[in-house]
Amino acid sequence: MAFEGLADKLGRAFKKLKNKGKLSESDVKEAMREVRLALLEADVNYKVAKDFTNKVTERAVGQDVMESLTPAQMVIKIVDEELTSLMGGENARLEFASKPPTIIMMCGLQGSGKTTHSAKLAKMLKETQNRRPLLVACDIYRPAAIDQLKVVGEKAGVPVFEMGTENPVKIAKEAVKHAKDYGNDIVILDTAGRLHIDEVLMNELKDIKGEVNPDEILLVIDSMTGQDAVNVAKSFNELLEVTGVILTKLDGDTRGGAALSVKAVTGKPIKFAGTGEKLDDLEVFHPDRMASRILGMGDVLTLIEDAQNKLDQKEAEKMAEKIMANRFDFNDLLGQFEQIKKMGPLKGILSKIPGVGKQLDNVDINDRQIDWLQAIILSMTPQERENPSLMNPSRKRRIAAGSGRTVEEVNRLIKQLDQMQKMIKQMNKGGKKGKRKKKMMLPGLGGMPMDGMGGMGGNGMPF
């Protein structure tokens, strides 16, 4: 999970501040020393870490903070604001051409994920903005690069333009002409990379840039390489003047140093973040939301957007009707588990819920838990799924044996469904308050309320 180590260390530093009540200047400076160490351990650029803590300290030792009734909370608020500013302030959008097609040139080192993220971006633009993207194979050197682009392009439902091993500059020029003729309003150029930055690579990229004059030059960098990623970004920017960055593997980067350093070092914003291996695993990068995640405040807006983009809305509407009518059974729960699996790793989903991130620090969440729960439900008869009250000890033993799980796990799942049914009934009786809670429920998460997890296994999800 992104920033896991950093979030844990910052949490400990701020806990000390909260325990002190009234703060002195030395308390703030000591906390900022810990914050600086945490940033450096997260592989944040040294100058960036130093400037960041100096800014926070300067603001935090002011009279308004020191004399506040909740000085520790004020310090955390300042850290949140400065983290947001460090990563770019507001989310940077793609610049679209006034006259189509918009040309986006993808660049980066070999192995950074350019080809996959070209397809991810094309899919996102197609599905969320009704665009008609065209993927262009300009990498003629890497074995099977063209075939790879064709495969991911087909999965994304986006056409691929290729001319074999023709000169990449000519390919880019012909692709733009093709897009104009066939009504493609976005052209995404998947260019070649190298194992390191060299003159040949840069000259080719400059030639492509000079020929087609791209509206966006997006640099794809692997966030897990830490400061190396930042150095790569700096070099590419100096030679090409990139317009933005796509950080890949952010889900696997527990440190997060690249995300925190790249804007400050290069002056270029992070526009997108790759958060998994699937073609849907691409997020618009929101600095304010990322700062909230780092500080354990969750990220409800991204969670809701994920649900809207990845879940079946018709199924969600059916589920809402069933919830309103107090008709929620194991068949519905089975459908909800299928929806959850579309949204990515469980820990990533849960970490976006306010107040839950901190509880996950030492919790091992196995994504196969959903498979095990589905196996239990699939081992029930249709009658048992519709009417859990039929369950008796012999039925439970049969279900446990059929699913390869224990009777205790079967009992726990039955109890969780019962608790969820009771919670739904309470909300249906709750008048205005109940309606407010219903609005905060996220279809596709087992009727889980957005304002709490019921103690991680209480009235929340059955894990």
Side-chain angles (χ1 to χ4, degrees):
M1 190 171 70
F3 302 104
E4 193 170 352
L6 176 60
D8 185 39
K9 289 182 177 70
L10 292 182
R12 286 201 294 267
F14 296 140
K15 189 176 180 181
K16 288 181 186 176
L17 285 183
K18 288 176 185 175
N19 291 339
K20 287 183 183 286
K22 201 166 180 67
L23 298 181
S24 66
E25 187 173 327
S26 62
D27 292 331
V28 172
K29 287 183 176 177
E30 185 183 338
M32 286 308 108
R33 274 195 295 271
E34 290 188 36
V35 169
R36 187 186 299 176
L37 282 173
L39 291 171
L40 293 174
E41 285 177 26
D43 208 13
V44 174
N45 176 279
Y46 175 78
K47 186 177 183 303
V48 172
K50 185 179 177 183
D51 289 347
F52 174 82
T53 49
N54 285 345
K55 281 182 186 176
V56 174
T57 303
E58 190 178 330
R59 289 183 61 189
V61 296
Q63 188 176 357
D64 290 345
V65 174
M66 291 306 182
E67 294 182 3
S68 164
L69 292 173
T70 55
Q73 291 294 346
M74 292 288 282
V75 172
I76 294 169
K77 181 174 180 289
I78 291 168
V79 171
D80 181 34
E81 290 170 357
E82 290 297 335
L83 274 176
T84 301
S85 175
L86 183 64
M87 291 185 284
E90 296 180 355
N91 64 300
R93 302 174 185 275
L94 285 177
E95 294 292 331
F96 293 103
S98 55
K99 185 179 178 183
T102 296
I103 302 167
I104 301 172
M105 187 167 100
M106 307 285 275
C107 60
L109 294 183
Q110 202 174 90
S112 60
K114 279 191 311 300
T115 302
T116 306
H117 282 76
S118 294
K120 284 184 179 184
L121 181 59
K123 189 172 190 288
M124 175 186 274
L125 292 170
K126 177 188 172 189
E127 293 180 352
T128 63
Q129 299 191 26
N130 294 318
R131 301 279 180 172
R132 298 190 67 236
L134 175 71
L135 288 165
V136 183
C138 290
D139 184 354
I140 63 169
Y141 310 105
R142 182 168 61 89
I146 297 171
D147 290 337
Q148 185 192 355
L149 189 65
K150 284 181 180 177
V151 169
V152 291
E154 186 178 351
K155 286 181 181 176
V158 175
V160 174
F161 181 89
E162 59 100 0
M163 293 172 60
T165 56
E166 187 65 69
N167 183 293
V169 180
K170 185 178 180 182
I171 294 171
K173 184 180 178 181
E174 291 300 318
V176 173
K177 197 183 294 181
H178 177 93
K180 288 176 181 176
D181 291 342
Y182 288 86
N184 297 103
D185 55 2
I186 304 276
V187 175
I188 300 176
L189 307 175
D190 177 30
T191 65
R194 302 281 193 280
L195 293 175
H196 55 86
I197 296 166
D198 62 22
E199 193 176 344
V200 176
L201 167 68
M202 284 305 165
N203 285 339
E204 180 175 289
L205 293 175
K206 284 177 182 176
D207 290 343
I208 293 173
K209 178 184 175 182
E211 184 64 52
V212 299
N213 192 25
D215 303 280
E216 290 273 1
I217 301 176
L218 298 181
L219 175 64
V220 182
I221 53 177
D222 183 342
S223 66
M224 293 187 75
T225 57
Q227 280 307 294
D228 284 343
V230 179
N231 294 333
V232 166
K234 190 176 179 183
S235 299
F236 267 90
N237 183 51
E238 286 170 353
L239 294 163
L240 275 180
E241 293 182 26
V242 301
T243 59
V245 172
I246 297 179
L247 272 183
T248 71
K249 301 180 187 174
L250 198 59
D251 57 315
D253 178 20
T254 58
R255 296 180 302 173
L260 290 170
S261 304
V262 71
K263 174 67 169 66
V265 172
T266 67
K268 302 301 177 181
I270 301 167
K271 294 200 173 184
F272 299 95
T275 56
E277 295 178 3
K278 296 177 183 175
L279 289 180
D280 288 322
D281 295 333
L282 183 69
E283 291 180 4
V284 174
F285 189 85
H286 296 272
D288 54 342
R289 300 184 193 180
M290 194 56 72
S292 289
R293 285 193 218 179
I294 294 169
L295 296 174
M297 299 175 189
D299 184 1
V300 174
L301 289 174
T302 298
L303 187 58
I304 291 170
E305 285 173 6
D306 283 349
Q308 289 172 337
N309 294 332
K310 296 179 183 177
L311 303 185
D312 187 324
Q313 294 305 307
K314 287 184 180 177
E315 285 298 316
E317 285 168 15
K318 284 182 190 175
M319 188 56 54
E321 288 173 13
K322 285 203 163 194
I323 288 171
M324 292 288 285
N326 292 340
R327 291 184 292 109
F328 190 86
D329 58 25
F330 276 119
N331 288 315
D332 301 315
L333 195 56
L334 191 65
Q336 294 291 281
F337 288 145
E338 282 301 324
Q339 296 271 44
I340 292 167
K341 285 163 82 171
K342 292 178 184 178
M343 290 182 65
L346 276 174
K347 199 162 186 175
I349 297 171
L350 298 177
S351 67
K352 293 172 187 169
I353 301 169
V356 174
K358 299 283 185 186
Q359 299 180 45
L360 299 177
D361 286 346
N362 299 310
V363 178
D364 181 26
I365 297 179
N366 189 335
D367 282 318
R368 291 205 60 204
Q369 285 175 299
I370 289 183
D371 296 329
W372 300 334
L373 294 171
Q374 287 180 302
I376 292 173
I377 297 172
L378 291 170
S379 296
M380 298 175 185
T381 65
Q383 292 78 18
E384 288 166 347
R385 288 185 217 171
E386 291 177 11
N387 188 5
S389 63
L390 292 173
M391 299 290 184
N392 57 33
S394 64
R395 287 176 185 258
K396 290 175 184 176
R397 284 195 294 272
R398 189 202 77 242
I399 292 165
S403 62
R405 311 310 300 169
T406 65
V407 174
E408 287 78 9
E409 287 173 284
V410 176
N411 281 330
R412 193 182 307 134
L413 183 58
I414 293 168
K415 185 179 178 182
Q416 287 287 347
L417 180 70
D418 181 59
Q419 288 177 333
M420 289 167 73
Q421 288 172 333
K422 286 177 181 174
M423 181 180 68
I424 289 166
K425 282 179 184 176
Q426 282 177 345
M427 286 190 293
N428 282 337
K429 290 177 184 176
K432 286 184 181 178
K433 193 174 179 182
K435 285 179 183 175
R436 185 185 70 81
K437 278 206 169 187
K438 263 176 246 164
K439 283 179 183 176
M440 293 173 72
M441 291 178 75
L442 184 63
L445 291 180
M448 178 181 69
M450 294 300 296
D451 55 353
M453 280 292 291
M456 290 290 292
N459 290 331
M461 293 173 66
F463 303 129

